[in-house]
Amino acid sequence: MKELKEFKVILVLLVAALAVSCTVDTVCHTTKKIQAGIGVDEPWDTLTVRGIGSDSLIYDHAKNVKTFYVTLRADTNITQFEIEWKHQLDTLSIRHIRDFQYVSIACGCNVYHVIDSVWSTQHFIKETIIEDSDVQETVSGNEVTNIKLVVSEK
């Protein structure tokens, strides 16, 4: 009789453990901000940045900007941005290799990037320098400048 009672307790615990371990996680418990940092020598006043092909306004007349952060596209290997500074327009193009890293069913994948090359239409951006090709998670207080822009004053 005692053995049957112990067996029932073990069976109930086993069923409960299986029920808990087999539930599908439908909530994503992690969010990562993976952005490329773009820096300049002197702080820019009145910076506007738009994503080309994504119809997004990323910065709208931002003030005192020395580094700005952009998200590279996950659906293509080239991401372009229209940059407006001192009433001048330039297009910045970034060629990158995408690295999809699976997180979970609920979260999907994080997309990391390796920057291959960068160029501009050279209206005011005279040179682009890749300082760190690995685009990783942007962590507050530990931001990385991936690309440096050299501009001409007009």
Side-chain angles (χ1 to χ4, degrees):
M1 190 68 162
K2 183 179 177 184
E3 292 173 354
L4 184 60
K5 192 174 186 180
E6 287 175 0
F7 176 74
K8 286 181 181 179
V9 169
I10 291 172
L11 185 62
V12 167
L13 290 174
L14 183 62
V15 169
L18 285 174
V20 170
S21 67
C22 292
T23 60
V24 176
D25 189 8
T26 58
V27 178
C28 182
H29 298 287
T30 180
T31 55
K32 291 192 175 190
K33 199 172 193 177
I34 301 167
Q35 295 181 307
I38 301 173
V40 294
D41 285 332
E42 297 294 324
W44 287 8
D45 195 26
T46 316
L47 169 70
T48 299
V49 179
R50 292 177 190 84
I52 296 175
S54 63
D55 229 12
S56 63
L57 181 62
I58 302 165
Y59 291 88
D60 188 15
H61 296 93
K63 306 286 186 199
N64 199 29
V65 177
K66 189 161 172 134
T67 304
F68 58 97
Y69 298 90
V70 295
T71 302
L72 301 180
R73 292 178 57 168
D75 63 337
T76 183
N77 287 334
I78 296 178
T79 304
Q80 294 183 303
F81 301 96
E82 180 184 79
I83 300 174
E84 182 180 347
W85 176 63
K86 291 187 176 182
H87 306 290
Q88 303 173 81
L89 287 177
D90 213 326
T91 300
L92 183 68
S93 300
I94 305 169
R95 182 186 317 267
H96 48 90
I97 299 164
R98 297 167 288 156
D99 178 19
F100 293 89
Q101 295 185 8
Y102 177 75
V103 177
S104 69
I105 291 173
C107 297
C109 293
N110 286 326
V111 183
Y112 297 90
H113 306 272
V114 177
I115 297 172
D116 177 65
S117 55
V118 181
W119 64 94
S120 74
T121 51
Q122 296 190 342
H123 294 172
F124 68 89
I125 299 172
K126 294 303 172 195
E127 186 179 0
T128 58
I129 302 165
I130 299 173
E131 291 192 339
D132 186 349
S133 62
D134 291 324
V135 179
Q136 299 293 323
E137 180 180 7
T138 305
V139 179
S140 182
N142 192 25
E143 292 88 359
V144 172
T145 300
N146 300 98
I147 300 165
K148 182 177 178 183
L149 303 180
V150 179
V151 299
S152 64
E153 294 285 334
K154 284 192 178 181

